[in-house]
Amino acid sequence: MSSGAVFRLHGGLAPTTHHLMSYVSSRVTSPAQSHVLHRHLAFQWSGHQSRLHSTAYDKVNKVNRYDRFRACLRVAVSDNGQRIHNTLVFSNDYADPMDVAKCTMEILSSNRRSFNRTWERMNPLIQLILLPYKSSTTKNRMKSVADVGCDHGMLALSLACIALVNQSRDGSDEYLFSRVYGTDLSSQALENGGIASLKRVNDALSKIDTVSTELPIQFRIGDGLSALQPGEADAVVIAGMGVHTMLDIIVGKSEAKTTPIETLESEYIFVQPTNSRPQHLIILYDGLQKDLGWELCDEKVAFVGGRWYISSFFRRNDDDSNIGPYRFPGHYLLGNEIFDKYVRHHLEWLKQVFQKGPLAEEDARWMKHLLSQTDKNEWKMLATWYNDSHTAAD
């Protein structure tokens, strides 16, 4: 194993402590050095992510992030997970789309701390975006993705690198998306953000002979979905905004007969709002399910930097006679440890709000929904302050 070794860390698929200790032991030359290396080698877990913190280990085996990015793409485009230049690139000699996205975001991040936080937040969203390809009934319906309000372009470029790898593979699957769009309202923001990031990725790609150097991505300036033409984007991704701004983009601000998302003819919407308060999430879910008739298909949750981020996947439902039941935020997160903490935190927070006055309509609906969960007795115990007050009122 060479000094350029890279370990696959996403999704909890990290090398075992035994393997790491064996590797460290093979690199040391004295008992004192062995003691220092073993003492500083430790894992810090956060959700499904793992990060390796070891000053001594980094000095022995520091890997340039651009080299890691290029090695990842080389492995990803190969059919058999081959070893590159006698270097073990990933612990199982395999790089999947999530690995490609992770390495792309790493080269676009200003520092390690920024990258860790960005990846922990965006990882669940990218998992949702890739989800339609696991279904035989939907895999042929998502050929293009648009990141609306792309800012620095990290998400858009990560998706573009996934598409690039797929196009570069021999006998690649035909159903993976082949085109990515990144849009932003401000030309200056796009110039200093997405386009500048594109240059950095292109510079890294120029040194890979097995991958096409032309990324399948276009950056455009426009307000909301106006930068896109009907049929261009099968899926729309909106992250890093408040729910009201998201609804303005999707539903529109005017009383037009056709909403922007209907004009665009998109099949899927993926959202990750900045505010995860129950009231705001229900406003968003109402707009997509009740007003537009879209179906909630899946959700992911992350807790990063003291904040919860709930990512949601919605699918168009063209059959008005077959609209499913309304699904509250967290419908697909029951049993998730992070979501359980989210519920407990907001129950305590809403209790303080309730002491000052009545809850907002959406918060009250969320409380009623929680109390209807027959298998969540602990939540009910934490919500007795609300249940008792309504029993007395009745």
Side-chain angles (χ1 to χ4, degrees), residues 241-248 273-275 279-281 283-284:
M241 303 180 190
V243 298
H244 296 288
T245 302
M246 288 183 170
L247 288 175
D248 284 344
T274 53
N275 193 321
Q279 177 191 17
H280 291 177
L281 289 177
I283 289 174
L284 179 62

Side-chain angles (χ1 to χ4, degrees), residues 242-298:
V243 298
H244 296 288
T245 302
M246 288 183 170
L247 288 175
D248 284 344
I249 291 173
I250 296 169
V251 181
K253 304 176 184 178
S254 64
E255 298 297 329
K257 294 183 179 180
T258 305
T259 64
I261 195 68
E262 290 172 330
T263 301
L264 192 58
E265 302 173 0
S266 299
E267 294 284 344
Y268 307 101
I269 298 176
F270 303 90
V271 291
Q272 188 189 81
T274 53
N275 193 321
S276 61
R277 174 178 169 176
Q279 177 191 17
H280 291 177
L281 289 177
I282 288 180
I283 289 174
L284 179 62
Y285 279 40
D286 282 355
L288 290 171
Q289 294 184 88
K290 290 186 174 181
D291 297 341
L292 293 181
W294 287 51
E295 176 187 2
L296 176 66
C297 297
D298 207 346

Side-chain angles (χ1 to χ4, degrees), residues 18 44 119 167 193 271 373:
H18 170 73
Q44 177 178 336
W119 178 244
Q167 294 173 9
V271 291
Q373 302 297 305

Side-chain angles (χ1 to χ4, degrees), residues 90-108:
F90 292 95
S91 60
N92 58 355
D93 291 340
Y94 176 76
D96 65 15
M98 294 300 296
D99 293 311
V100 174
K102 182 176 183 179
C103 288
T104 305
M105 286 195 175
E106 185 180 21
I107 67 171
L108 295 176

Side-chain angles (χ1 to χ4, degrees), residues 50 54 57 140 227 231 285 293 391:
S50 62
S54 170
Y57 182 84
N140 292 316
Y285 279 40
T391 302

